Amino acid sequence: MVKSLVTGLCLAVFAAVIIGLSNLLGLDLEHVALLGAALGGVLGLVPHRPAWGKVAGFLAGFLLAWLGFALRAAVLPDSSAGRAVAAFVVVALIAVVAAVSRGRLPLWSGLVGAASIVGAYESVYTNAPSQFLTESPAAATTVLLAVGLGYLATNLLAPQSEPHASAQPDPAIDARRAERGQRGQRDDSSSTTDLDDLVKGAAQ
């Protein structure tokens, strides 16, 4: 409970810092502060081995979703059908990346990456699809900065520790080992008893 509270407070502070940086540096970060901090926190909190895999998966999903906007701007009609085709292509490609990487780039992190750029840029794109080349880089940069600060909050100020999967105890294996140990003790006891009987018989 304390760990969750500390992590949440770290994220809250970083969300406020993002808005402060927006005002100080003249960046348009205010509307993505909470989105970026929350998604960066999710990326940092969910355990995955190797750790770089979830970051790479996030970036892959982010890039594919950005290319989805490019596809909509260049080829697809600005309609429900066009948006549906773009969404299908993006999610399908994220799934392919996760499958090809054999889980090293998890599906969930790719979806988080896609959600970050969509959440930051969808409304801007809807208002001005023709401005994709000028508006999308700014949206991508701002949300990546916000996500990076959220990820930093959960990994630097509230670092996560996760034992390797091979180091985690397996109750079934422990039970079999205990059973073998008990069998070995019974066999040793039986052997000792037989040896004592033989020695007594020889003495008589």
Side-chain angles (χ1 to χ4, degrees), residues 17-113:
V17 168
I18 292 170
I19 296 176
L21 286 175
S22 176
N23 293 329
L24 181 64
L25 302 177
L27 301 174
D28 188 18
L29 289 173
E30 293 187 4
H31 71 288
V32 297
L34 183 56
L35 172 68
L39 294 180
V42 169
L43 190 65
L45 287 171
V46 178
H48 181 74
R49 288 294 181 270
W52 59 263
K54 60 183 180 181
V55 177
F58 171 88
L59 293 175
F62 187 93
L63 178 60
L64 288 171
W66 183 83
L67 292 176
F69 281 112
L71 182 66
R72 288 169 59 183
V75 178
L76 298 175
D78 188 21
S79 62
S80 298
R83 288 188 287 271
V85 171
F88 174 83
V89 170
V90 169
V91 175
L93 289 177
I94 292 173
V96 169
V97 169
V100 171
S101 70
R102 297 183 179 180
R104 286 188 290 270
L105 276 63
L107 177 62
W108 66 265
S109 68
L111 296 176
V112 169

Side-chain angles (χ1 to χ4, degrees), residues 4-195:
S4 297
L5 179 61
V6 171
T7 303
L9 289 176
C10 290
L11 285 172
V13 169
F14 269 62
V17 168
I18 292 170
I19 296 176
L21 286 175
S22 176
N23 293 329
L24 181 64
L25 302 177
L27 301 174
D28 188 18
L29 289 173
E30 293 187 4
H31 71 288
V32 297
L34 183 56
L35 172 68
L39 294 180
V42 169
L43 190 65
L45 287 171
V46 178
H48 181 74
R49 288 294 181 270
W52 59 263
K54 60 183 180 181
V55 177
F58 171 88
L59 293 175
F62 187 93
L63 178 60
L64 288 171
W66 183 83
L67 292 176
F69 281 112
L71 182 66
R72 288 169 59 183
V75 178
L76 298 175
D78 188 21
S79 62
S80 298
R83 288 188 287 271
V85 171
F88 174 83
V89 170
V90 169
V91 175
L93 289 177
I94 292 173
V96 169
V97 169
V100 171
S101 70
R102 297 183 179 180
R104 286 188 290 270
L105 276 63
L107 177 62
W108 66 265
S109 68
L111 296 176
V112 169
S116 64
I117 182 62
V118 171
Y121 182 58
E122 178 65 40
S123 61
V124 178
Y125 175 85
T126 302
N127 292 331
S130 61
Q131 300 299 315
F132 168 77
L133 292 178
T134 57
E135 297 288 347
S136 65
T141 302
T142 53
V143 74
L144 280 178
L145 178 58
V147 170
L149 289 174
Y151 182 80
L152 184 65
T154 56
N155 283 271
L156 182 62
L157 300 183
Q160 304 298 306
S161 59
E162 179 195 8
H164 192 274
S166 61
Q168 296 178 353
D170 189 331
I173 295 177
D174 292 343
R176 288 196 294 270
R177 288 176 179 172
E179 184 180 355
R180 285 198 296 268
Q182 292 175 357
R183 288 178 181 174
Q185 291 177 357
R186 288 197 299 268
D187 293 342
D188 291 343
S189 176
S190 177
S191 299
T192 302
T193 302
D194 293 342
L195 181 60

